[in-house]
Amino acid sequence: MTTTAPARPTEQATPAPAEPAPARRIVTRTTALLAVLVVGVMVGIALQGRATLEVARSDLSPFQVGVNGLRDSLDASRGSSGLLRVLDGVAGALNAVIEALQHLVSDAPPGRPTPEIGWLGVVALAVVVTLAVAGWRLAVLTALVFAAFGTFGYWQESLDTLVVTFVSVVLVLVVGLPLGVWMGTSRRVSRVVTPVLDVMQTLPSFVYLLPVTLFFGIGGAPAVIATFVYAFPPVVRVTAEGIRGVDRSVLEATDSLGTTGAQRLLRVLLPMSRRTVLVGVNQSVMAALSMVTIAAFINSPGLGVPVISALASLDVGTSFTAGVLVALAAVMLDRVTTAAGERTGLMRTPAGVRRRRIGLGAAAVIAVVCVYYSHLYLALARFPTSPDLGGPVGAAAQGVADAVALHGSAVTGPLSQAFTVVLLNPFQALLASSPWWLVAAVLVACSALLAGWRVGVVALVCVGVILAVGIWHEAMVTLATAVVGSLLVVVLALVVGVLMANDRRVDLVVRPVLDTAQTIPAFVYLVPALALFGSTRFTAMVAAVIYGAPVAIKLVCDGIRGVSPTTVEAARSTGATRWQLVTRVQLPMARSSVALAANQGLLYVFAVVVIGGLVGAGGLGYLVVAGFSQSELFGKGVAAGVAIVALAILFDRTTQGWVARTGSREEHQ
């Protein structure tokens, strides 16, 4: 899935409306859907424990044995296979680039006690670059964030994260920008590439890691490859939209002057779409940072290493400290790239341009001096050990976690227990302990009724894939957690979204929080959830809800604001109460936005639930983690990744189809 993040998954455009459906057919379909659910629940309860396809963790299906065999075969033929030698060459080149950059800024090369550029030079260069592209306010923010990297005790890990992110983003831009321009100027290319991008943006970041290790091993290079694949779609899609958005009359005017194709591209299309293209760059950068953090699972250097290690040992203090730095890096990159896009259209006076050049020149000279002295003097090369903020912050976070565990358990314990007993356990039992054929039939039937028979066929294929890889029971455990989490996200989105839409003061307070929350990688949300609720399934669900809520809330709010003011005033003039206005006018007329919010919320929740295996969520995420750490379970981890892909596609296609039908219904009312 794509991030704006990346991370998180990128907000997807509303699909084209489907064919109109008569009211009688809608009622029939709703009745059929309810009938399928009721019959499925009743039969499932009656046949509990039969044909669940639950297997021991050490038992491998033929598919999983085959994957293990493929891995062994690839390992054995690394020296003789031409294809693998090429892939090894690619990995070697990427590792060489990463290592060279590390020696430049974060890790000492052979023969030197420190990197070529010390901390003072690195900070000065970062400030100058930010000053040039985003202004002095964000230059100050950049300096503070880099200072936090050092004072929190993770200077090298933080810079390693930025190095891997930088290499990945450069590759993404080199390939993605030309492809985006091509898509924007050719409908045929767009028709071919768009479905591929749709699938890539649907998948959680976690699933890219194991297949990459199969061909590229572990380390920085496979992390760059996985990050490239994950961060690639946003910049391609947004660049294409920017190119398509250029005014047709301007293009016709330039064509009438006899411009060539290259002149048209370089002097009209790219300059006029520059602002939109930079939005795509921003989204790809955020997705890359999110992926690089998770890539610590395959031994990629960076802040993900201490976060994963601390989460695995339930060390809340360490994971919080490193997680804060990941969040700060995300906020810094988001603000700087956003500001760079906004400043492209600024008009400056000649005097302003001259002052800006003088200021940048002076800053560049100071940066060069800092680089020079940080190369020569140890005190300016190694970040000072004092003040140490990481230790006290980590200790405080651990203290809060311990206090919550000791004194807050009277609240968090019953809350977790209540949700688990009342919602999670019954729903999980219904999905995972019912006969597989019944659950499969209900899933396919619901998809077909909600989104049409074509999506029903897609659902049938997805269910078949999950069965084929031999991971059905764990997939149903993950499905149960994701569905319950998604329902909570929808409820939260309806409550907060309606409040924001109807009260500007609430919007003024909540929206900046949501904007910031959307920039933070999914991984980081596990830390506070772990501190509050310990290692449980409920912890993963809480983190998933926190991650998925911002985008869903904003979609509901924007949908309600899109309702015609004339309609709202007409309802008020009839004496409708606020409750009646919301439930009978605003929400019904914004239901396509609500449906889209459910679609995005579900995908975001799913992205976190699958990494919740680290904090006791079990299911597919646990098996993927086990595949990283236990050689004999590699095939099972890959099978879990394939099942995650199948579930993600099933979720996305079903809810997208539902969104399309909902939008069509609104148009015909």
Side-chain angles (χ1 to χ4, degrees), residues 171-190:
L171 280 180
V172 165
L173 298 184
V174 167
V175 181
L177 288 177
L179 181 59
V181 171
W182 196 11
M183 277 183 64
T185 54
S186 169
R187 291 188 180 278
R188 184 178 301 172
V189 175
S190 181

Side-chain angles (χ1 to χ4, degrees), residues 54 115 117 274 282 302 320 332 375 386 409 418 469 578 587 651:
E54 185 175 6
I117 303 175
R274 184 170 51 191
N282 168 274
F320 178 82
M332 176 185 71
H375 179 77
S386 178
S409 57
V469 299
R578 176 171 290 190
L587 286 179
F651 283 156

Side-chain angles (χ1 to χ4, degrees), residues 85-110:
R85 279 204 297 270
V86 171
L87 296 180
D88 287 344
V90 172
L94 289 173
N95 278 327
V97 172
I98 293 171
E99 193 173 332
L101 290 174
Q102 285 180 303
H103 288 165
L104 191 64
V105 297
S106 67
D107 194 17

